[in-house]
């Protein structure tokens, strides 16, 4: 939009279920009573349009949002609200996610995502006190159709964006000391492995992850934003392996060092992989649509 929206900033990237519909997640000022979730139902490039609030007037302050792979649902969560699903085309409220940790006093949503097939909604929650966010978190999984809670587990770290395998047998989540992978079995999240980005002593946090190549590998992105700053890393791990099979680290030093790689996004056909960073640089890699033979034969 050529005209800025007054009273707040955009908390998350706009979501586009189709070329004519845009969801805006606006982190309004504390004194602004306007809902933080808005919909542009007739978007045209170059035309600021007229955003309208989503049908639910009590959306709270939104911290996290995600669009389902099919483009049919939007899930949002934040402070003073339970995670909830909306119809991505009309803006109508579908309903709240049931039995969320956020229904307990003091818990806020940190991140939300969908499984690759859109069957699950995944979320992380954190306890917020007068001293700030607690350094632990909760990982939760819901059925996107029924909104029923499927499983939940305590994580002894503050969690970033969760991610699921294509076959929905594994779930992972990044945090300040690496990433934790779980198996989903009989309604439980069972710890499978802990992965460290770089050397454990480096203290690198994992910002995002993806299961790749028939769910036999996991890709992690992250870095260190505190002193001493280190270039961000990408690491590709074979599940069950003790060390990463591929590592990419930027070598640039100075004020423009990419200190932390961020969100990972695969194109719909999985042919392209986009990697964000805190410096605003976006890298484009080949996806896993046609992986090299050495990744398929176990070498």
């Amino acid at each position: 939009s050529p005209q800025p929206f007054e009273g707040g900033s955009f908390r998350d990237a706009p979501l586009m279920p189709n070329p004519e519909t845009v969801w805006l997640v606006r982190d309004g000022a504390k004194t602004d009573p306007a809902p933080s979730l808005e919909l542009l139902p007739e978007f045209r490039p170059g035309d600021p349009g007229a955003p309208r609030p989503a049908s639910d007037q009590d959306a709270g302050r939104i911290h996290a949002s995600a669009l389902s792979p099919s483009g049919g649902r939007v899930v949002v969560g934040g402070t003073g609200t339970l995670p909830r699903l909306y119809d991505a085309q009309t803006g109508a409220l579908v309903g709240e996610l049931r039995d969320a940790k956020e229904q307990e006093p003091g818990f806020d949503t940190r991140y939300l995502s969908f499984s690759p097939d859109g069957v699950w909604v995944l979320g992380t929650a954190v306890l917020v006190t007068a001293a700030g966010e607690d350094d632990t978190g909760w990982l939760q999984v819901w059925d996107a159709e029924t909104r029923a809670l499927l499983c939940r587990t305590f994580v002894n770290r503050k969690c970033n964006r969760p991610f699921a395998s294509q076959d929905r047998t594994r779930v992972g989540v990044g945090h300040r000391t690496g990433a934790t992978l779980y198996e989903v079995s009989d309604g439980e999240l069972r710890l499978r492995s802990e992965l460290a980005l770089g050397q454990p002593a480096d203290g690198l946090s994992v910002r995002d992850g993806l299961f790749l190549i028939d769910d036999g590998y996991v890709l992690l992105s992250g870095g260190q934003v505190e002193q001493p700053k280190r270039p961000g890393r990408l690491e590709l791990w074979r599940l069950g392996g003790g060390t990463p099979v591929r590592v990419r680290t930027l070598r640039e030093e100075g004020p423009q060092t990419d200190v932390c790689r961020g969100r990972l996004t695969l194109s719909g056909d999985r042919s392209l992989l986009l990697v964000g960073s805190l410096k605003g640089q976006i890298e484009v890699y080949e996806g896993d649509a046609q992986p090299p033979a050495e990744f398929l034969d176990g070498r």
Side-chain angles (χ1 to χ4, degrees), residues 55-267:
S55 62
D56 177 31
Q57 297 296 314
D58 187 26
R61 299 190 69 206
I62 305 302
H63 293 172
S65 63
L67 178 67
S68 67
S70 68
R73 292 285 186 267
V74 167
V75 61
V76 302
T79 299
T81 179
L82 296 177
R84 56 192 65 190
L85 283 167
Y86 292 85
D87 184 295
Q89 311 300 325
T90 67
L93 176 67
V94 175
E96 295 175 341
L97 300 181
R98 299 189 174 101
D99 300 313
K101 195 68 179 176
E102 290 87 336
Q103 70 185 11
E104 299 180 23
F107 280 92
D108 289 352
T109 302
R110 290 205 84 223
Y111 291 93
L112 292 164
S113 64
F114 283 88
S115 60
D117 59 6
V119 172
W120 285 352
V121 177
L122 298 90
T124 57
V126 64
L127 178 63
V128 180
T129 67
E133 290 186 348
D134 190 61
D135 210 24
T136 60
W138 289 84
L139 173 62
Q140 307 177 95
V141 181
W142 293 271
D143 184 299
E145 181 66 27
T146 66
R147 294 177 281 114
L149 180 70
L150 300 178
C151 45
R152 175 168 59 210
T153 190
F154 174 75
V155 183
N156 195 29
R157 299 136 176 124
K158 187 163 55 179
C159 300
N160 292 323
R161 196 174 78 103
F163 53 98
S165 61
Q166 290 178 273
D167 62 4
R168 285 181 280 111
T169 62
R170 298 182 179 93
V171 170
V173 65
H175 44 70
R176 57 181 172 80
T177 60
T180 304
L181 305 183
Y182 299 87
E183 286 188 353
V184 184
S185 178
D186 298 326
E188 295 182 358
L189 290 165
R190 298 178 178 175
L191 180 65
R192 175 179 176 126
S193 58
E194 299 271 5
L195 304 178
L197 200 64
Q199 299 299 316
D202 292 341
L204 305 182
S205 64
V206 171
R207 303 291 297 177
D208 203 358
L210 282 175
F211 288 98
L212 297 173
I213 315 174
D214 296 328
D215 295 330
Y217 293 79
V218 62
L219 180 68
L220 304 177
S221 71
Q224 174 63 282
V225 298
E226 299 174 354
Q227 299 294 340
K229 292 184 178 180
R230 298 181 176 91
R233 294 173 67 94
L234 286 177
E235 293 187 355
L236 182 67
W237 291 72
R238 182 178 175 84
L239 293 185
T243 58
V245 297
R246 293 284 189 276
V247 176
R248 177 169 168 78
T249 301
L250 288 185
R251 294 182 173 85
E252 291 86 347
E253 300 295 337
Q256 295 306 312
T257 296
D258 175 18
V259 296
C260 191
R261 282 183 164 87
R263 181 72 61 87
L264 303 173
T265 301
L266 275 170
S267 60

Side-chain angles (χ1 to χ4, degrees), residues 31-43:
T31 57
D32 184 1
S36 300
L37 188 65
E38 298 174 338
L39 183 65
L40 270 171
E42 297 179 357
F43 169 73

